[in-house]
Amino acid sequence: MTIAYDQSIAGDAETGRASTIERHIAQEKARARRKRMTNRLLAAGFGMFVLFLWWLFSALGLIHRLIIPPPGEVLSAFFRVASASYFWPNVMVTLSEIAAGFALGLASGVVFGVSVAMFESVRATIYPYLVALQAPPKIVLAPIFVTWFGFDEASKIAMAVVMSFFPMFLNTLTGLASVEPNAVKLMRSLTASRWQTFRYLLLPNALPTMMAGVKLCWTLAVLGVVVGEFVGASAGIGYLIHAFNFQLDISGVFVLILLLSIFTLVVYQLIENLEKKIIFWSGM
Amino acid sequence: MALDLAQLPKTEAQDSRHRALIQGSHLTKIYATSTGPLVALDDVSFDIREGEFVSLVGPSGCGKSTLLSLLGGLEERSEGTLTLNGQDLDRPRPDIGFMLQTAVLFPWRSVMENIRLPGAILGLDRKAQAERCQELLELVGLAGFGDRYPNELSGGMRQRVALARLLAHDPDVLLMDEPFGALDEFTRETMNLELLRIWSATGKTVVFVTHNIGEAVFLSDRVFVMTPRPGRLAGVVEIDLPRPRQTEMMREPRYSELVFDIRHMLGVD
């Protein structure tokens, strides 16, 4: 500020002030940028450090390579696994199971959530059972599903659906219910129908909560498929992990875990980007 | 701005202004609560004339908001009759508009889309609505803000948008529940003056709820004074201050007299 007044004495007051403001904004931006940079460097540095420790401990023979294989071995295992003829068919099996399970879990969660929220009779009839069904850990269903639906995709998809259904259902329900009473009053005063109230108020109002549900739904769909494949499968990434583990190919297991994590994270990020576009108003 | 006002419907003819538009008699509203029945409104009778500006004034719990909800057809009355133009008033109607203390704008709709909400719900002609809402946006002093979103606006601006939305489908009766109560004193005065300007240009019937006696006197043709527990109509005060009202009137002895009359009826002296 002092600089601004000094300048204004020297020349045109308005221009001096404007340029001071501009400089101030530029400084603020630079500061924020530096801070972001520092934070990123910190995170990257820590990652490198852990990687280094991993390498060091392996090189010194402090960790047995059957427990945690050295980084170099994992890297070479990646090329070995990725170029194997069995790799892509198995990956495709898992990806299609995840996609189907996620889509079905999401869709059924939304349909049931909307029905229970919008229709009193549906709520009275099925809500207590849906809550009760949520109680047992869903993983116990995996062996039964293999019995019911077989060793192929169906049992894995079923597992992904039961895992991902509940968060989507509950978040849809909560989102639709958490509406400001005054907004409902406004809609009523405008003689809005139930459908109009849903379309203009309840649904958009529920979207932030529903998008949080979608993200949960996604990670649980992946989990459901892998669990299903562990329990009984003839193909898929979970099946491969199981097989590699039995062959004591730990670096191969590491490669598959890393690939699955990266895939899950990438899609998660895509959902988050979509979320920012859909609920654009929350960032304003 | 004068051009926009001219495009709005003109004030009703003088004689129609004295016709009773809304009639309530022996209106009672009882709520069942966990601690027993609560009489929110007890045997209230009144007339509201067409084109009239009526304020409901009284402390919290005097039933003024309950009465407004009944007028809006938003709640069921326990006893009594309530009619608009002789028709039973027991459900929301498109010719009655409701405005609340908070703007209740939808953050996912732009300012213009918020103003166009009533038209969308009532299925009004899109083209005519687009034109009308643009005029209303200018009327409330927000020309150029149509594409903004509610989160980008100040509290006063949001209430302006709510005011424009209230008028979007051209309701004959405006029910306003402390519409500027959450605003600061200066903004509220400005909004009151604008409301009077719009009211006198459109000839709408306004029922205005407030707990501010001065505001009620300044705005109204008549003030309904209400007392709490149970909510009763203690009296009706005719405000004989000349129109158009200006802020300077608050200096006049007649203004203070009326304010003190109402204070006396409320038993605050």
Side-chain angles (χ1 to χ4, degrees):
Chain A
M1 260 319 166
T2 357
I3 305 163
Y5 288 121
D6 288 345
Q7 273 193 348
S8 67
I9 296 163
D12 182 356
E14 279 302 307
T15 347
R17 196 173 156 73
S19 73
T20 313
I21 292 169
E22 250 166 54
R23 199 166 57 237
H24 190 73
I25 291 170
Q27 276 173 357
E28 285 287 309
K29 275 187 182 158
R31 201 169 298 145
R33 207 162 40 232
R34 269 201 303 280
K35 201 169 172 188
R36 266 203 309 277
M37 249 348 240
T38 319
N39 288 348
R40 267 186 212 149
L41 280 175
L42 277 172
F46 182 70
M48 299 288 277
F49 178 65
V50 171
L51 212 61
F52 171 73
L53 282 187
W54 179 12
W55 170 80
L56 186 72
F57 279 42
S58 311
L60 293 174
L62 291 172
I63 311 174
H64 196 279
R65 47 175 293 278
L66 274 185
I67 295 172
I68 302 180
E73 212 170 284
V74 175
L75 191 67
S76 58
F78 167 73
F79 293 111
R80 172 167 54 82
V81 171
S83 59
S85 60
Y86 57 78
F87 179 69
W88 284 110
N90 278 293
V91 168
M92 289 322 289
V93 165
T94 298
L95 294 193
S96 59
E97 285 165 356
I98 292 174
F102 173 61
L104 286 172
L106 183 105
S108 55
V110 170
V111 167
F112 275 85
V114 169
S115 315
V116 168
M118 295 302 288
F119 303 102
E120 183 65 42
S121 53
V122 176
R123 180 188 208 101
T125 315
I126 66 169
Y127 187 59
Y129 298 105
L130 286 175
V131 172
L133 278 178
Q134 198 205 352
K138 260 70 74 190
I139 290 172
V140 300
L141 295 170
I144 303 175
F145 280 180
V146 174
T147 318
W148 289 352
F149 305 116
F151 277 85
D152 295 335
E153 283 93 338
S155 62
K156 286 86 211 167
I157 294 170
M159 204 56 220
V161 171
V162 291
M163 298 276 289
S164 58
F165 166 79
F166 282 101
M168 201 56 232
F169 165 68
L170 286 178
N171 277 47
T172 304
L173 189 59
T174 319
L176 290 171
S178 64
V179 62
E180 205 201 331
N182 275 343
V184 177
K185 201 170 177 181
L186 172 77
M187 292 304 279
R188 284 189 56 215
S189 79
L190 290 169
T191 68
S193 66
R194 274 164 65 83
W195 161 242
Q196 284 175 326
T197 306
F198 177 77
R199 175 183 158 200
Y200 289 111
L201 172 62
L202 299 181
L203 183 64
N205 186 63
L207 282 177
T209 323
M210 286 172 74
M211 282 312 293
V214 172
K215 288 191 277 186
L216 280 169
C217 183
W218 167 249
T219 47
L220 287 171
V222 175
L223 183 63
V225 164
V226 174
V227 164
E229 288 180 348
F230 279 174
V231 171
S234 47
I237 295 177
Y239 165 77
L240 281 186
I241 291 176
H242 216 234
F244 283 1
N245 214 27
F246 269 119
Q247 297 161 15
L248 291 183
D249 181 3
I250 308 302
S251 48
V253 173
F254 264 59
V255 168
L256 293 175
I257 293 173
L258 283 173
L259 286 178
L260 201 56
S261 311
I262 292 168
F263 169 70
T264 310
L265 274 175
V266 166
V267 176
Y268 191 90
Q269 194 59 51
L270 288 177
I271 297 173
E272 269 199 341
N273 292 350
L274 187 69
E275 179 184 23
K276 278 192 194 115
K277 284 214 178 74
I278 292 176
I279 43 177
F280 61 91
W281 64 90
S282 70
M284 290 197 291
Chain B
M1 206 53 91
L3 191 76
D4 303 322
L5 284 175
Q7 285 167 355
L8 288 165
K10 286 287 176 236
T11 311
E12 296 288 315
Q14 201 62 29
D15 54 341
S16 78
R17 290 188 65 150
H18 297 290
R19 200 163 60 83
L21 179 70
I22 301 171
Q23 286 180 302
S25 70
H26 308 294
L27 270 183
T28 301
K29 175 71 187 177
I30 302 168
Y31 293 103
T33 69
S34 52
T35 53
L38 175 86
V39 183
L41 208 60
D42 186 23
D43 194 22
V44 169
S45 299
F46 59 88
D47 280 352
I48 294 169
R49 300 168 204 139
E50 199 168 337
E52 193 176 29
F53 199 120
V54 168
S55 287
L56 310 181
V57 73
S60 308
C62 71
K64 52 192 195 294
S65 290
T66 303
L67 179 52
L68 204 69
S69 288
L70 289 178
L71 290 171
L74 293 170
E75 283 188 60
E76 234 175 289
R77 57 188 179 260
S78 310
E79 271 172 53
T81 58
L82 182 63
T83 59
L84 180 129
N85 269 331
Q87 291 172 306
D88 194 22
L89 188 47
D90 60 350
R91 66 196 59 192
R93 306 165 49 117
D95 53 353
I96 299 179
F98 213 100
M99 184 170 169
L100 298 151
Q101 185 169 10
T102 52
V104 202
L105 302 180
F106 295 169
W108 49 86
R109 292 175 84 92
S110 70
V111 165
M112 184 44 97
E113 286 165 351
N114 266 287
I115 298 175
R116 293 195 58 177
L117 180 73
I121 289 172
L122 296 166
L124 304 180
D125 180 66
R126 284 163 162 273
K127 229 175 142 187
Q129 272 290 298
E131 246 172 70
R132 178 173 174 82
C133 292
Q134 188 54 44
E135 284 169 20
L136 285 169
L137 197 64
E138 286 163 28
L139 181 72
V140 297
L142 287 178
F145 283 88
D147 294 331
R148 296 294 190 88
Y149 280 83
N151 290 352
E152 300 171 297
L153 306 183
S154 69
M157 288 162 98
R158 285 186 211 188
Q159 281 310 98
R160 284 168 195 270
V161 178
L163 186 59
R165 183 187 57 200
L166 174 71
L167 299 167
H169 56 301
D170 202 16
D172 300 325
V173 180
L174 310 181
L175 305 176
M176 308 177 87
D177 195 354
E178 301 191 45
F180 312 128
L183 302 179
D184 65 80
E185 188 70 24
F186 308 103
T187 315
R188 189 166 71 181
E189 265 185 31
T190 316
M191 294 300 287
N192 280 340
L193 287 169
E194 286 198 26
L195 176 61
L196 281 184
R197 183 168 62 86
I198 291 165
W199 169 73
S200 62
T202 56
K204 301 205 177 291
T205 308
V206 178
V207 183
F208 189 95
V209 165
T210 176
H211 51 247
N212 185 323
I213 301 171
E215 186 178 67
V217 170
F218 179 72
L219 293 171
S220 312
D221 293 322
R222 285 190 303 158
V223 175
F224 290 9
V225 184
M226 299 183 72
T227 50
R229 280 173 290 276
R232 283 204 175 111
L233 190 54
V236 177
V237 177
E238 292 271 350
I239 307 299
D240 47 12
L241 295 168
R243 294 215 184 252
R245 305 268 164 88
Q246 261 125 28
T247 351
E248 292 81 55
M249 276 178 193
M250 295 186 187
R251 277 196 217 179
E252 285 177 21
R254 183 65 192 140
Y255 172 83
S256 318
E257 222 173 272
L258 288 163
V259 169
F260 272 89
D261 282 353
I262 294 170
R263 285 175 70 90
H264 185 69
M265 289 173 90
L266 287 167
V268 281
D269 287 313

